Amino acid sequence: MVFERPNKSVKPQPSKSNNTNLGTQRSNSNNKPSKNNSSKRKSEKLPPVWLKHPLEPNSQPNSDASAGFIEYLRWMRSHDDYEDYPEYNYEDYKDIAKLQILQLAEENADYYQRLSELNKRTKLIAGENNSFEVTCPWRIRVGGHRGPESILLPAFDALGMPCILSSSLRGVARTQAIQQFITEGMTLQQAENEVMKYFGGLDADNGDNMGKVIFLDAYPKPIDKSGGLSVDITNNIWSWENNNLNYKPNPQTFFSLKQSTFVIGIRPTNNCNPQTLEKIKNWLIFGLQSGIGSQVNTGYGKLVLPNKTQYQQFFQVEFTIQGQLIHGKHKFVNLNQPYKKDRQGNLEKDRNNKLKPNTSTDAEVRTIALKSMLRYWFRVFALGVLPIGSTQITEAYLKSFVKRENTRPPSEVKVLEAILFGSITPQVRGWVQFQVTKGELIRPEAKSEKDEPGKQSGILIINYSSEAPQERLNAIKKLFTNLTWMMFHLGGIGQGARRPCYSRQGRYPEAKPPKWRGSLLIPKSSDSFWKLPPTVTEFKRLFRQRLQAFYTALEELTGNTINYQHPRTVDLKEAVDKNCRIIVCTGKEDFNKCYALAVLHSEELKINKLKNDKKNLEYDEILCGKSEKPSVLSYIACLIFN
């Protein structure tokens, strides 16, 4: 399916009586602003958006609520709309417009009648007892492509209804069948020949060219009118550029389906017996439980039978987050006024002279947050004992490990990171899967000084992916078990991960939210593995044991001897190398700040900085970090001991 932008509409010349605070008056036939009133219009101008153009005040989409999302694509704007607005850069505001149109489509959706009819049709076509329901505990994004302005779109049918395409369902069942036959002792080629008897194939023998089962498109049930269609966000903060790490938040909004229930229908052909139908159905069910679609290793795409949720894992821990929380999508407070205004009604601008979007964040327990933090700490510790790696990792090299063609154990950090956690470029799934279940917002973030800190909870589950080699399972388990323990005791998670949770009550009365800053990631387990000793000295000894176990697992995984007692020197801040020190400390709080943070923020550790030709005492950025670009040393300068 290909979406093309409609031809640019002719901009009408509004009359003076039709002028609004979002529009501008035009005084000549060439649509050029009048010089006499240029200063007034400059203060009124806003960057063109896709939903309401300043020159077209009546261009607000008026689509019926039952219209699919693709109906909104006709309102997309182009670079040409910015020709008359030289003070605004298209690239600076296109993401705001994308979020605006996605949020409008989500909030306006009412697909109840259409999805109900599609679910009923699936059951009728499949026949009696040939349909079943599966539920997504969190989010799912199947199929799809890049739409206008590179918006990531999931699979839609011709009318814009979200669905799982039949080809995707067939692929899941077929892949599960191949994996089963390989487990039973067949080679890959033998397994592929065997599945042709069930799913068909051009090279099949004995008349098995046609599959035994017809798969139908699966539609979500209209539980919340939209079937779960929800604005989502991805944000790739860390990236390798040659042999350097680049820190740059890059939030991108897209559509996924949240906590949807799908009606799955399969129909037997004339040459399919009941035993074959049941076998294919079971392959499909097990395949859906492993995950379908994109970002499967990050918690997306799990589909399970109702009331039969089962997760395989080699490690799990229940946790609580306190303070600033994990956030998901941003949301406009007012769709018709996407930019912030000050008390005088003037549009606010940031330090880069860009208009500030008037958005709020939704607190959401997201698997990707914990996976990214584990990935970060893996890289930090591994860089101190292993080489960074080659400048470029080829897709063929990474996939050679997946296909078991490469027998040489990977011993470079960039390669190991991609193999364990997955990679986008080149695209590799990874050996480890992450899942968060029972994610819950217990208490929203504090808005006033009297409010308690925000609180979230969930259960982190870690398991092997289907690509993890059997001979390395024990090393993978040992590595991630100890890495997870260290993550819980090295900092928080989410927006406040760089500092422990503390209150700003009474300290900064004029300060804007958050009233509580920082984050605490707390394990909730009675297992002896998580039990902490009562003294700093004993905790120091325990932390060393966990760190040594991590390095031992890294040694087993790579097959190389690792001298973790004498780490190397790395020309990267993001490394626990020879020059790094981790300090364990404890003491009394100092005016609502925990002891370690109070020490870092103490007058003794402040440094002189010139500001307006005057010396001012300010926090040391190397120790405490800064908002523009957090210093990694601010993560590992102190280990909070509670």
Side-chain angles (χ1 to χ4, degrees), residues 583 585 595-609 616-625 637-638:
I583 302 171
C585 56
Y595 175 73
L597 194 62
V599 171
L600 283 178
H601 290 181
S602 64
E603 296 295 322
E604 292 81 2
L605 292 181
K606 287 184 178 180
I607 58 176
N608 275 314
K609 281 195 170 184
N616 288 318
L617 284 176
E618 295 185 7
Y619 294 149
D620 189 342
E621 294 175 355
I622 296 178
L623 288 176
C624 305
C638 64

Side-chain angles (χ1 to χ4, degrees), residues 125-146:
I125 295 176
E128 189 176 356
N129 300 325
N130 292 333
S131 64
F132 58 95
E133 296 180 2
V134 289
T135 299
C136 179
W138 186 46
R139 289 182 178 270
I140 181 173
R141 192 176 81 86
V142 178
H145 52 277
R146 291 187 181 273

Side-chain angles (χ1 to χ4, degrees), residues 440-507:
E440 181 182 1
L441 175 63
I442 300 176
R443 186 169 56 235
E445 292 185 38
K447 299 298 182 182
S448 69
E449 292 187 359
K450 296 181 181 180
D451 293 340
E452 293 294 317
K455 194 173 185 180
Q456 292 172 320
S457 66
I459 300 174
L460 171 63
I461 295 174
I462 307 178
N463 191 33
Y464 312 109
S465 78
S466 59
E467 297 178 354
Q470 291 292 323
E471 64 273 15
R472 296 183 185 171
L473 297 186
N474 289 335
I476 294 173
K477 178 180 178 180
K478 185 176 180 181
L479 185 143
F480 277 93
T481 298
N482 290 280
L483 181 64
T484 305
W485 187 94
M486 290 191 293
M487 177 188 72
F488 270 84
H489 297 95
L490 277 171
I493 199 81
Q495 188 171 353
R498 293 189 301 118
R499 53 172 63 87
C501 180
Y502 69 95
S503 170
R504 306 172 86 191
Q505 298 180 38
R507 195 174 184 88

